[in-house]
Amino acid sequence: MPRHRRMQVLNAMYETGLVPVFYHPEIEIVKEVARACARGGARLIEFTNRGDGAFEVFRELERFCAREVPELITGVGSVVDAPTAALYVDSGASFVVGPLLNPEVARLCNRRKIAYAPGCATATEISQAEELGCEMVKIFPGAEVGGPPFVKAVRGPCPWVSIMPTGGVDPTETSLRAWFDAGVACVGIGSNLITKEVLARKDYASLTEAVSRTLALIRAVRGK
């Protein structure tokens, strides 16, 4: 049973503007990454569905967060079908993100009041996602789809659209300003934030600093 309601998830996305994204097969490293992100001020974390037994790692992550980091909202990414979404929701995922739009996933998440951010690459796909009840859409891959100019162009005729780009977002002022000035609601940042070097060194203190710095930059570019 997810610990957080859909509106809590969406509000956290809107308020902080950041969703750290990562995968690792070792649960102890996953726990430390989650703790480091929370210490840096992150309210959400997206664990991607990659690798054999990824849902088992996620289940342990969610149990850990429920005990040790209850303020952190856990969700799953890279979900392409409804059975996989159901598996993670039953393991405690409070939100579901995918690289594509799947109506069956949308319906399942709506029934369970779970936030679903599907991957969209055109204005038509975004509109279809909204018709299926998706409050937040992910543009993926963000840079290849068209980057900030694509977001600005879509929000011209459709200013109500809430967009989260993943891919092509860097934790720098230049990159973040470009995306937020274009009108994104929040950004997903993976290996540019949770780097391979940090994971290899298990340098979780520097990850906490990176998350805190990124959130400060987001507040600055938003004018908050």
Side-chain angles (χ1 to χ4, degrees):
M1 182 73 180
R3 291 180 292 120
H4 299 89
R5 295 179 180 273
R6 175 163 55 188
M7 294 311 299
Q8 291 176 300
V9 173
L10 293 168
N11 284 336
M13 289 180 174
Y14 292 131
E15 289 168 7
T16 66
L18 175 66
V19 180
V21 181
F22 84 111
Y23 168 79
H24 199 281
E26 297 180 30
I27 184 56
E28 294 306 318
I29 291 177
V30 170
K31 290 176 181 178
E32 292 300 329
V33 168
R35 195 195 302 272
C37 288
R39 284 176 175 168
R43 297 267 306 282
L44 312 101
I45 194 160
E46 177 187 326
F47 182 81
T48 56
N49 176 47
R50 299 180 183 179
D52 295 336
F55 84 93
E56 295 173 341
V57 179
F58 175 84
R59 184 168 53 196
E60 291 302 313
L61 167 65
E62 168 54 22
R63 289 172 176 169
F64 166 77
C65 288
R67 292 191 313 268
E68 304 290 338
V69 200
E71 70 276 15
L72 191 64
I73 301 170
T74 60
V76 60
S78 301
V79 171
V80 299
D81 56 45
T84 303
L87 187 66
Y88 277 92
V89 170
D90 287 342
S91 297
S94 293
F95 64 95
V96 175
V97 181
L100 49 80
L101 170 62
N102 185 316
E104 293 180 359
V105 175
R107 294 186 187 101
L108 181 147
C109 288
N110 275 334
R111 291 188 192 105
R112 299 290 294 274
K113 297 296 189 292
I114 302 295
Y116 173 44
C120 300
T122 67
T124 297
E125 289 179 351
I126 291 172
S127 178
Q128 290 171 341
E130 291 180 325
E131 288 177 7
L132 290 165
C134 300
E135 295 285 345
M136 182 77 66
V137 298
K138 165 182 172 176
I139 60 165
F140 176 81
E144 286 74 13
V145 166
F150 173 79
V151 175
K152 186 175 181 179
V154 168
R155 282 178 52 81
C158 306
W160 55 83
V161 174
S162 294
I163 292 174
M164 174 178 66
T166 302
V169 184
D170 295 316
T172 64
E173 182 176 359
T174 300
S175 178
L176 293 170
R177 186 175 298 281
W179 284 108
F180 281 97
D181 282 354
V184 300
C186 68
V187 294
I189 310 181
S191 59
N192 289 334
L193 179 63
I194 306 171
T195 66
K196 292 181 180 179
E197 292 75 20
V198 164
L199 295 178
R201 297 194 310 266
K202 298 183 179 180
D203 186 3
Y204 304 117
S206 71
L207 175 56
T208 293
E209 293 173 2
V211 171
S212 179
R213 184 169 57 249
T214 302
L215 287 167
L217 285 171
I218 290 172
R219 288 192 296 271
V221 301
R222 281 173 153 183
K224 294 184 178 181

